[in-house]
């Protein structure tokens, strides 16, 4: 990951799963992700293009299919730009309140957030070089432009309760990471040949 994208805000909600082992936390086999592009002010950002966001989300889905050897399927619906009646401070600096505003705005725009088991809130106007996710949980917040597939994989991985996905050990830039941006950086913990 590019170093200026800080991954923080991995909150444990109520229950601490760190000692139970990620394997016992069943991620849904069918992940239905609503990727919500939210904006405030007069007009939506013109960048990045729908094309590039859609491509990165497709790559993310392919990545999960690959590293899980077909066990995990991620289906993504990318929204159009949806305006929220809130400002930068609330959308960029909060989790609970920004989630409530996002959910209401998406419902008004005709999306049905309740039909999805994961929600990704894309607010690139924040330009805060930060992303956060509930670990485990259902919501991730991506708060800068053009985050790239590695960030999407990383944050969605937190939502899925994955510390080291599928028993894979991943190394990137000499550091052990939960998920590498390319599956080639990962090998299975219990298979020395890989």
């Amino acid at each position: 990951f590019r170093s200026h994208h800080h991954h923080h805000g991995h909150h444990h909600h109520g229950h601490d799963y760190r000692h139970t082992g990620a394997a016992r936390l069943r991620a849904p086999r069918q992940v239905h992700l609503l990727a919500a592009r939210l904006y405030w002010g007069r007009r939506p950002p013109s960048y990045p293009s729908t094309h590039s966001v859609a491509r990165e989300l497709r790559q993310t889905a392919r990545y999960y299919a690959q590293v899980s050897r077909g066990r995990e399927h991620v289906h993504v619906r990318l929204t159009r730009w949806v305006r929220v009646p809130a400002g930068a401070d609330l959308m960029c600096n909060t989790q609970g309140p920004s989630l409530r505003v996002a959910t209401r705005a998406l419902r008004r725009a005709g999306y049905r957030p309740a039909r999805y088991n994961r929600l990704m809130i894309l607010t690139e106007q924040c330009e805060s070089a930060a992303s956060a996710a509930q670990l485990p949980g259902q919501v991730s917040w991506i708060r800068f432009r053009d985050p790239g597939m590695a960030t999407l994989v990383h944050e969605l991985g937190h939502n899925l309760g994955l510390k080291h996905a599928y028993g894979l050990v991943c190394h990137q830039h000499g550091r052990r990471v939960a998920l590498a941006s390319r599956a080639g950086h990962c090998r299975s913990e219990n298979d020395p040949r890989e």
Side-chain angles (χ1 to χ4, degrees), residues 155-177:
E155 297 304 343
L156 192 55
H158 283 300
N159 273 186
L160 299 177
L162 305 176
K163 286 276 196 301
H164 299 283
Y166 311 106
L168 294 174
V169 184
C170 306
H171 289 274
Q172 213 164 357
H173 311 303
R175 291 206 336 271
R176 184 171 163 143
V177 292

Side-chain angles (χ1 to χ4, degrees), residues 17-135:
Y17 289 94
R18 269 176 298 202
H19 309 299
T20 59
R24 261 177 255 161
L25 185 72
R26 302 300 317 150
R29 292 188 56 152
Q30 301 289 329
V31 175
H32 295 276
L33 172 67
L34 184 61
R37 293 193 291 170
L38 304 177
Y39 77 100
W40 49 90
R42 291 214 188 129
R43 59 181 68 83
S46 55
Y47 169 93
S49 69
T50 301
H51 177 76
S52 71
V53 179
R55 187 182 63 232
E56 286 172 359
L57 287 163
R58 271 199 311 277
Q59 288 171 343
T60 299
R62 259 204 314 274
Y63 174 91
Y64 276 108
Q66 185 183 355
V67 297
S68 70
R69 298 178 177 83
R71 287 195 299 259
E72 193 85 70
H73 298 280
V74 177
H75 310 273
V76 184
R77 168 112 193 248
L78 180 64
T79 71
R80 66 179 185 272
W81 282 109
V82 174
R83 190 173 184 279
V84 291
D89 189 46
L90 183 134
M91 293 307 295
C92 301
N93 300 317
T94 71
Q95 294 195 344
S98 65
L99 172 59
R100 287 189 289 278
V101 165
T103 304
R104 280 198 301 269
L106 287 165
R107 280 201 209 106
R108 272 201 310 274
Y111 296 99
R112 311 284 264 292
R115 290 191 174 174
Y116 298 83
N117 54 24
R118 294 295 180 274
L119 174 65
M120 182 176 280
I121 297 176
L122 299 156
T123 50
E124 63 182 55
Q125 279 164 292
C126 293
E127 292 188 355
S128 68
S131 57
Q134 294 174 338
L135 168 65

